[in-house]
Amino acid sequence: MQTEQTGLKRHLKVRHIRLMALGSTIGVGLFLGSASAIQIAGPSILLGYLLAGIVAFIVLRTLGEMAVHEPVAGSFAAYANTYVGPLAGYMVGWGYWTYWIVVGIAEVTAVGIYMGIWFPEVPQWIWALSSIVLMGLINLIAVKVFGEFEFWFALIKVVAIIAMIGLGGSVILFGFTNDWQPIGLSNLWQHGGFFPNGFEGMLLSLQMVLFAYVGIEMIGLSAGEAENPKKTIPMAIDSLAWRILIFYMGAILVILAIFPWNEVGQQGSPFVVMFERIGLREAAGLINFVVITAALSSCNAGIFSGGRLLYSLSTNGYAPASFAKLSKYGVPHRAVMATVGVCMSGVVLNYFVPDKAFQYIMAAVTFVGLMVWIAILFTQMKFRRSLTKAQVAELGYRAPWWPYSSWFALAFICLVVVLMGFHEDARIALILGPCLLGVYLAMFYIVGLHRKTKTQAVFKS
């Protein structure tokens, strides 16, 4: 296998992989961005999170099927190259690398903003730059050390959400801090009903809800460095799916039960208001700390993902050969440093470029994230069709209800892409996203990779 030939170390345990994927998904969007989705859909946002969670689970299972069968660095970019074609592998690899670069820039910018609450005299760019340097150093150490850092970063977020669900549940069921008068769940259907903005409101919120789950697929990139991937990957995927549903739906359910949906977000983060309602005056500082660790966790995972993708692209001639070099610890250090370097330049750009322009870039790569999900589903279909019945029967981990589940997920994602055109803030993604893919397509032909790949072996496995 590729990992054994090139020297990547299989030091990621199942607990590392679970929290890595969980940490990359539960970020600033849940803690601060959920209020916007609630304002669009009202309590029916719970249905949106459920549907999107089911689709995320299907994508994970289809990816897991390929990752267990062929646990290589580069994951779905490698599979797209092998089972669809070199152009697909090239586009998926570079597109997803760009996605994590910009996510990393956005997350460290968030660190700078929230550190400014505690240290207003320190320029924001210093915190952003310091965060990238710190996360870069962590990624240059052995992958086992990276896994430990990411585990504890993500665990802080998980504990905060569990605490909020537990304390909020006591308010709902027992009336804790409410003179022991249970609040109940009536806020879910009062104030305009479960669909206060109609079924259309729930549909329009789907693009925001599905974006919250984008990032969960990075679990596939860990397959090349997982201990016993045939065991750890299935365990991580199966447990991760229901955990994310609980964390997202549980947290949103508690907020919607305690507050009327039309009041959520009017006083800042719903999580801050939630803790203040139950009498924790230090809520702002606590949530500020959690949001900072959430952003660092996502940045950490992004540098890991970007480094492995760049390494995989390099080993197959799609990026400079120097990025395929490994350190004595089995880390693709040059690929990691290149990823960190681009993130640093992004901090500088973010210092000069207006916020609106930066939001447009984020919209473009969000579109790319959904395209990666489509690529994963389509690649798995091609993968299945390349196997004989006997080989399918021997698969150690299979996607459920195939091919109906894959077609359902594809249809759902395509629906969300269409719905983006009806949302003013997301509409720009339908313009910039294809433009970004167009740039990569042009580079594929300008550099001459379309000729090279006719005689070159595809991604090693």
Side-chain angles (χ1 to χ4, degrees), residues 339-350:
T339 301
V340 171
V342 176
C343 286
M344 285 185 176
S345 65
V347 172
V348 176
L349 289 174
N350 190 52

Side-chain angles (χ1 to χ4, degrees), residues 48 59 72 82 129 145 164 184 296 315 328 335:
V59 172
V72 298
T82 301
L129 187 61
V145 177
M164 196 211 74
L296 289 174
T315 59
K328 64 180 179 179

Side-chain angles (χ1 to χ4, degrees), residues 181-196:
Q181 297 296 318
I183 292 179
L185 300 174
S186 60
N187 276 330
L188 294 180
W189 53 83
Q190 293 180 346
H191 313 289
F194 189 72
F195 294 92

Side-chain angles (χ1 to χ4, degrees), residues 16-323:
H16 295 145
I17 296 172
R18 283 174 178 167
L19 269 293
M20 280 169 57
L22 195 61
S24 66
T25 305
I26 299 177
V28 177
L30 174 62
F31 288 106
L32 297 172
S34 54
S36 298
I38 292 172
Q39 288 300 314
I40 294 175
S44 66
I45 195 70
L46 292 168
L47 179 58
Y49 274 112
L50 176 61
L51 290 173
I54 292 172
V55 171
F57 174 70
I58 293 172
V59 172
L60 269 186
R61 287 295 298 261
T62 56
L63 176 58
E65 178 178 288
M66 296 183 288
V68 170
H69 178 75
E70 197 173 351
V72 298
S75 187
F76 38 83
Y79 308 140
N81 191 101
T82 301
Y83 298 106
V84 181
L87 176 59
Y90 177 88
M91 296 288 284
V92 171
W94 278 110
Y96 199 57
W97 181 78
T98 305
Y99 170 82
W100 278 113
I101 286 291
V102 181
V103 167
I105 294 171
E107 297 291 357
V108 297
T109 301
V111 172
I113 292 172
Y114 294 109
M115 286 298 290
I117 295 176
W118 289 335
F119 304 98
E121 71 281 358
V122 180
Q124 177 180 315
W125 67 269
I126 291 180
W127 295 116
L129 187 61
S130 300
S131 300
I132 290 181
V133 172
L134 176 61
M135 296 302 100
L137 290 174
I138 290 174
N139 273 271
L140 289 173
I141 309 174
V143 68
K144 184 176 182 179
V145 177
F146 158 80
E148 285 297 326
F149 270 92
E150 185 60 21
F151 175 84
W152 291 107
F153 274 145
L155 191 61
I156 291 172
K157 293 185 285 187
V158 171
V159 170
I161 294 174
I162 291 175
M164 196 211 74
I165 293 174
L167 291 171
S170 68
V171 176
I172 296 168
L173 298 175
F174 309 112
F176 175 66
T177 72
N178 191 46
D179 295 329
W180 299 104
Q181 297 296 318
I183 292 179
L185 300 174
S186 60
N187 276 330
L188 294 180
W189 53 83
Q190 293 180 346
H191 313 289
F194 189 72
F195 294 92
N197 294 325
F199 192 71
E200 299 82 5
M202 193 277 291
L203 285 178
L204 289 175
S205 73
L206 287 179
Q207 54 93 13
M208 302 179 71
V209 171
L210 193 60
F211 294 165
Y213 289 107
V214 174
I216 194 174
E217 70 288 333
M218 77 154 290
I219 197 170
L221 295 175
S222 65
E225 293 164 274
E227 288 184 353
N228 189 9
K230 294 185 182 299
K231 178 182 178 181
T232 55
I233 295 298
M235 289 177 62
I237 289 176
D238 290 342
S239 64
L240 183 64
W242 64 262
R243 289 184 186 192
I244 285 183
L245 275 176
I246 289 177
F247 291 140
Y248 269 96
M249 294 191 65
I252 301 300
L253 174 63
V254 166
I255 290 171
L256 289 172
I258 294 179
F259 303 101
W261 69 270
N262 50 7
E263 293 182 9
V264 174
Q266 294 183 2
Q267 303 172 30
S269 167
F271 283 75
V272 173
V273 178
M274 169 71 218
F275 278 104
E276 288 178 342
R277 173 66 68 91
I278 61 178
L280 186 57
R281 295 183 178 179
E282 296 80 9
L286 176 63
I287 295 299
N288 200 48
F289 171 73
V290 173
V291 170
I292 288 171
T293 57
L296 289 174
S297 172
S298 295
C299 177
N300 196 31
I303 292 174
F304 173 88
S305 301
R308 270 57 184 180
L309 283 164
L310 197 54
Y311 163 80
S312 183
L313 288 164
S314 177
T315 59
N316 294 277
Y318 293 168
S322 60
F323 294 147

Side-chain angles (χ1 to χ4, degrees), residues 361-394:
I361 297 174
M362 274 303 297
V365 295
T366 302
F367 175 87
V368 172
L370 291 183
M371 293 302 101
V372 167
W373 278 25
I374 291 175
I376 290 171
L377 292 164
F378 183 72
T379 300
Q380 190 261 351
M381 290 180 176
K382 300 283 284 187
F383 163 73
R384 272 292 189 102
R385 289 166 184 161
S386 72
L387 304 178
T388 64
K389 289 185 178 180
Q391 289 173 323
V392 171
E394 292 175 357

